[in-house]
Amino acid sequence: MASNLLPTDVIKISATDHVPTPERQLTKVAKLIDVSKCIGCKACQSACIEWNDTHPTMEENVGIYENPHDLTPDMFTLMRFTEYQNPGTGELEWLIRKDGCMHCEEPGCLKSCPSPGAIVQYSNGIVDFISDNCIGCGYCVKGCPFNVPRIHKTTNVSKKCTLCSDRVAMGQGPACAKACPTQCISFGTKEDMKALAAERVEDLKERGYDNAGLYDPQGVGGTHVMYVLHHRDKPSLYAGLPDDPRISPTVALWKGSAKKLGLIAAGLATVGAVLHGIFAKPNAVTPHEEEEAQELVDDVDQGGDGYPHGHGHDHSHGHEQAHGKEQ
């Protein structure tokens, strides 16, 4: 495909309200992963490591096929394996899924990020992390409904799949799609990928998978990485793929209405302080208060007890008691 990405094609920037409208609108792109074709060879993992020049640590074998055991700052994509006993057929199914960033149309990571320019989205749908602007706070991790970003412990920046934005910018597809030997990973315009998915779903239904379908969850506005699933009615069967992913209500509240209410409250407090400074009357001493203060001073000068007269204090009682003791 033709070169399809420039810095001027950004449409969303983290912690930035006003982003200039690009002069052109790129065609939406997507990666389609047909899990029914995947053989779990991990060629996509190796290609990702090689292209991005990362160095993931080989972890201990604990009796599962997943290695590393989870996504890491150096492992942007991970093959996940699930054994499923189908109650309908009684057969054991091996469900394999390539895990990684889904490149949401409404990215929760970008919405939750407080650092200007750390996360951007291009008009073709790709969501990219700009490490130079990342502060490593981890809010993108909390905002992602797919639990994908990881914080690097030494560089203290967030990392994830970029959908090979650098390759796309040069008119190439993602490295994982290039390396896949079964062509279970395809890349192209989103419309073309949805059409290809429809063909694959029809084929799966003819083979007995009545609930086969396309995973393109609308809770996040759709995604630019999509799956063809045998069991579209139960996405969680595939190593916990969210059934109905959405941006956390906490993030939506924090960056939405709560943020606006906070700004309004801060503005009202500032206005109130200014008005108080302009119109509030200064503290003033009344004639009565001056009279009482003068009585106190006179009483002390005369050797009294310092209490103002006429306030119910019995002076003579104390003197009489003291005099009686002396007798």
Side-chain angles (χ1 to χ4, degrees), residues 127-292:
V127 180
D128 209 353
F129 280 12
I130 311 299
S131 295
D132 288 345
N133 298 327
C134 181
I135 58 176
C137 65
Y139 283 119
C140 59
V141 181
K142 301 295 182 183
C144 176
F146 296 97
N147 186 31
V148 168
R150 296 291 186 269
I151 305 297
H152 201 287
K153 292 183 179 178
T154 54
T155 61
N156 199 36
V157 296
S158 190
K159 294 286 186 179
K160 73 168 188 66
C161 158
T162 66
L163 204 54
C164 284
S165 58
D166 50 352
R167 290 176 59 90
V168 173
M170 299 302 293
Q172 303 181 53
C176 58
K178 185 77 173 179
C180 180
T182 64
Q183 297 183 337
C184 92
I185 305 175
S186 303
F187 181 77
T189 70
K190 183 160 184 177
E191 288 305 313
D192 286 347
M193 294 302 99
K194 291 175 73 173
L196 177 60
E199 295 177 5
R200 292 298 305 142
V201 169
E202 183 179 354
D203 178 66
L204 287 171
K205 288 187 174 180
E206 290 177 352
R207 291 162 52 192
Y209 294 102
D210 296 335
N211 295 315
L214 175 66
Y215 185 83
D216 180 23
Q218 296 305 301
V220 290
T223 54
H224 294 274
V225 172
M226 305 183 293
Y227 292 106
V228 170
L229 304 178
H230 320 73
H231 308 286
R232 176 61 184 88
D233 56 327
K234 300 175 182 176
S236 58
L237 291 177
Y238 300 84
L241 186 64
D243 291 334
D244 185 20
R246 295 178 182 277
I247 297 176
S248 167
T250 304
V251 173
L253 181 65
W254 172 45
K255 302 290 284 190
S257 57
K259 181 180 179 181
K260 293 178 180 176
L261 290 174
L263 292 174
I264 291 173
L268 290 175
T270 302
V271 171
V274 171
L275 292 177
H276 182 271
I278 295 174
F279 298 106
K281 295 180 179 179
N283 291 332
V285 179
T286 66
H288 178 68
E289 291 172 335
E290 289 183 347
E291 183 180 346
E292 284 190 339

Side-chain angles (χ1 to χ4, degrees), residues 19 35 78-79 91 121 138 153 156 247 265 289 318:
V19 179
V35 301
L78 179 69
M79 300 307 300
E91 295 181 352
Q121 184 179 40
K153 292 183 179 178
N156 199 36
I247 297 176
E289 291 172 335

